[in-house]
Amino acid sequence: MQGIGRATRSCQETLKLAILQHRHGRSTAGRKNVFSRHECVTTSNPTMEQKGLENTTVAEVLMTKGEEKSGSWLWCRTNDTVYDAAKHMAENNIGSLVVLKPGEPKHIAGIFTERDYMRKIIAHGRSSKDTKVGEIMTDENKLVTVSSDTNILQAMQLLTEYQIRHVPVIDGKIVGMISIVDIVRAVVELQSGEVKRLNEFIKGDYY
């Protein structure tokens, strides 16, 4: 648990630093100002590296995850047991599920996360096999979402402001899910690209 806490705090500090850098205008001269999980497989995105955070969208972060953006693995239903939902997350190596109402495939009822499981099942000694997801999920009126065209900095600010680690991507329907680590990876990738270009410039590779 301490390791998870340290990793989460590290991610949050990285996000805060990126936001502060943008707000104070600490961007590379001659360039535009530089402006969302450990289990996901990511791939390099040269286009994203060249665009900078202020021009990078959630859709581009989803493309780097190396997996289907949407599908049955992203969701569960309110009448599913917590045990089945947690098993579903473990099998798909994800940390949260969008919760739908039974018989209403497009109606989002809320979100079920690892935090819900830890705080509302483990901490209270409840049985995951006897508890329905709808009893412990984060309700839809508290649900924070983004769309595919949301700027990555805006998504970053939402995650830090609401102190959450996962946010559903909704374009009229469920498109995907991004986490704080997905966004940190995007920030690191963009910063790495910037460092690489500066090194090339210093070495004279631009001439």
Side-chain angles (χ1 to χ4, degrees):
M1 290 297 295
Q2 292 179 347
I4 293 174
R6 285 195 297 270
T8 300
R9 288 192 294 272
S10 176
C11 289
Q12 290 172 337
E13 289 303 317
T14 302
L15 296 182
K16 289 177 183 177
L17 178 60
I19 292 173
L20 288 172
Q21 286 177 335
H22 174 74
R23 286 179 177 173
H24 290 87
R26 290 190 291 182
S27 57
T28 304
R31 292 188 177 275
K32 294 181 179 180
N33 291 336
V34 173
F35 245 52
S36 321
R37 175 171 169 79
H38 63 276
E39 75 277 1
C40 294
V41 177
T42 59
T43 56
S44 179
N45 189 336
T47 302
M48 189 171 71
E49 287 183 5
Q50 296 171 4
K51 294 178 69 173
L53 275 175
E54 65 182 357
N55 297 312
T56 299
T57 65
V58 166
E60 290 167 290
V61 174
L62 284 175
M63 289 174 62
T64 69
K65 289 168 71 74
E67 56 191 8
E68 291 295 327
K69 292 183 294 182
S70 62
S72 60
W73 56 268
L74 272 176
W75 53 265
C76 63
R77 298 193 183 280
T78 54
N79 59 350
D80 289 339
T81 65
V82 171
Y83 176 85
D84 288 336
K87 183 178 179 181
H88 193 40
M89 288 195 296
E91 289 173 346
N92 290 281
N93 217 20
I94 55 179
S96 63
L97 293 170
V98 170
V99 183
L100 305 178
K101 290 186 176 181
E104 299 183 51
K106 292 186 178 181
H107 192 114
I108 298 175
I111 188 171
F112 171 62
T113 69
E114 294 169 321
R115 183 179 294 179
D116 291 322
Y117 182 78
M118 295 296 291
R119 291 183 174 181
K120 301 171 185 177
I121 296 294
I122 301 299
H124 293 279
R126 298 174 66 176
S127 169
S128 61
K129 292 186 176 181
D130 296 325
T131 306
K132 302 297 184 183
V133 171
E135 298 176 43
I136 69 163
M137 68 181 184
T138 300
D139 196 69
E140 64 176 322
N141 58 12
K142 297 180 181 178
L143 186 62
V144 178
T145 66
V146 296
S147 62
S148 292
D149 60 358
T150 298
N151 179 271
I152 198 63
L153 182 61
Q154 294 174 323
M156 184 189 303
Q157 290 172 324
L158 282 173
L159 286 165
T160 53
E161 178 182 349
Y162 288 95
Q163 297 183 7
I164 55 179
R165 297 196 298 267
H166 307 87
V167 60
V169 184
I170 310 293
D171 290 338
K173 62 179 182 179
I174 303 170
V175 174
M177 182 89 70
I178 61 171
S179 71
I180 190 170
V181 176
D182 294 328
I183 294 179
V184 167
R185 280 187 171 137
V187 171
V188 171
E189 184 175 335
L190 287 161
Q191 290 178 340
S192 296
E194 188 73 17
V195 170
K196 180 181 178 182
R197 286 189 292 274
L198 286 172
N199 283 332
E200 290 173 346
F201 181 80
I202 292 170
K203 292 176 182 178
D205 293 348
Y206 275 78
Y207 293 94

